[in-house]
Amino acid sequence: MTRRRVAVLISGRGSNMQALIEAARAEDFPAEIALVLSNRPDAAGLERAAAAGLRTETLDHKRFADRGAFERMLDERLRAHEVELVCLAGFMRLLTAGLVDAWRDRMINIHPSLLPAFPGLDTHARALEAGVRFTGCTVHVVRAEMDAGPIIAQAAVPVLPDDDEARLAARVLAAEHRLYPLALRLFATGEARVEGERVVYAPGTRFPAAPALAPLPA
Ligand code: GAR
């Protein structure tokens, strides 16, 4: 089996990155993490990645004259590491159409809501405010519009009556950690692929129906 070379892009603690690192330890996982790159020098995830023996790089966006210069360097670093797929994992920097199109159908993202609901920031506060009974997380193929693009996989998580933002965020995050490796596996093997701006599955794809549905409390 050839393992696809993946770069994980982070900006912070890197818990989703960690979930991908752990999944990629399995011999039959179809991707290897060739690079972890952060746009923030102080991202805690950089240390976690280094501790796992992975190559890390920092590209501090503040050191570039503009978005274009930052993204040209990002593109160069990805190519220098012969990266084939890019996973955004809490990468909190908007990417412009130039870079997104250069990596079209080779860049995926995780977002802590059931898209297209609640794109952007403060997803859990907005879900609580809206009174939805389920929220969750989405792994999707990246397009130039923020938190949009063909959906690879989603996991639903219940919103419970006494939830606050932190409790809900923790429940969704646990689902994220299960969903992202699953989605990357499907995408890296080509079992999930983009067709007409939707993701379709190859016939016979093994896909757990509710991979990350948190159990309801007794
Ligand atoms: C995760 O909840 C991820 O879904 C979210 O940031 C968090 C990063 O946590 N991403 C977005 O909101 C992107 N729009 P992590 O650094 O521990 O993986």
Side-chain angles (χ1 to χ4, degrees):
M1 180 195 58
T2 56
R3 282 152 70 85
R4 312 290 301 279
R5 290 175 64 78
V6 168
V8 183
L9 270 50
I10 62 170
S11 301
R13 82 193 142 180
S15 71
N16 277 291
M17 171 207 74
Q18 188 77 44
L20 296 177
I21 290 173
E22 276 154 31
R25 287 194 219 277
E27 256 176 36
D28 68 343
F29 197 77
E32 63 176 301
I33 300 177
L35 175 67
V36 171
L37 188 146
S38 172
N39 67 311
R40 296 184 55 116
D42 59 350
L46 282 171
E47 276 178 31
R48 301 173 88 166
L54 298 173
R55 277 169 197 252
T56 63
E57 288 194 13
T58 301
L59 275 190
D60 185 350
H61 61 273
K62 293 192 195 119
R63 289 174 172 269
F64 291 84
D66 52 35
R67 260 177 214 279
F70 169 73
E71 292 185 1
R72 277 192 297 279
M73 183 57 83
L74 177 55
D75 187 60
E76 189 202 299
R77 298 316 301 151
L78 295 173
R79 290 176 198 282
H81 288 277
E82 298 180 343
V83 165
E84 300 172 85
L85 292 176
V86 178
C87 292
L88 307 184
F91 185 71
M92 303 311 263
R93 189 96 194 125
L94 281 179
L95 297 171
T96 67
L99 189 81
V100 170
D101 289 347
W103 289 87
R104 191 178 173 87
D105 296 345
R106 295 185 295 153
M107 181 181 280
I108 68 179
N109 178 46
I110 188 155
H111 181 76
S113 75
L114 292 175
L115 291 172
F118 310 123
L121 298 173
D122 299 324
T123 51
H124 305 306
R126 287 154 62 211
L128 289 168
E129 172 69 22
V132 295
R133 294 298 174 224
F134 282 90
T135 184
C137 49
T138 302
V139 178
H140 66 94
V141 183
V142 174
R143 293 291 182 257
E145 303 74 39
M146 182 186 58
D147 298 325
I151 291 169
I152 301 170
Q154 292 184 305
V157 170
V159 181
L160 301 180
D162 55 353
D163 271 348
D164 58 16
E165 213 180 317
R167 278 171 55 101
L168 183 56
R171 194 176 306 120
V172 172
L173 192 65
E176 292 183 50
H177 296 162
R178 295 172 67 184
L179 189 70
Y180 211 172
L182 171 85
L184 174 58
R185 173 185 285 280
L186 291 172
F187 202 65
T189 57
E191 287 171 291
R193 64 185 167 78
V194 179
E195 196 178 287
E197 283 307 275
R198 287 206 202 158
V199 169
V200 295
Y201 295 102
T205 299
R206 265 183 52 240
F207 184 81
L213 191 64
L216 283 166

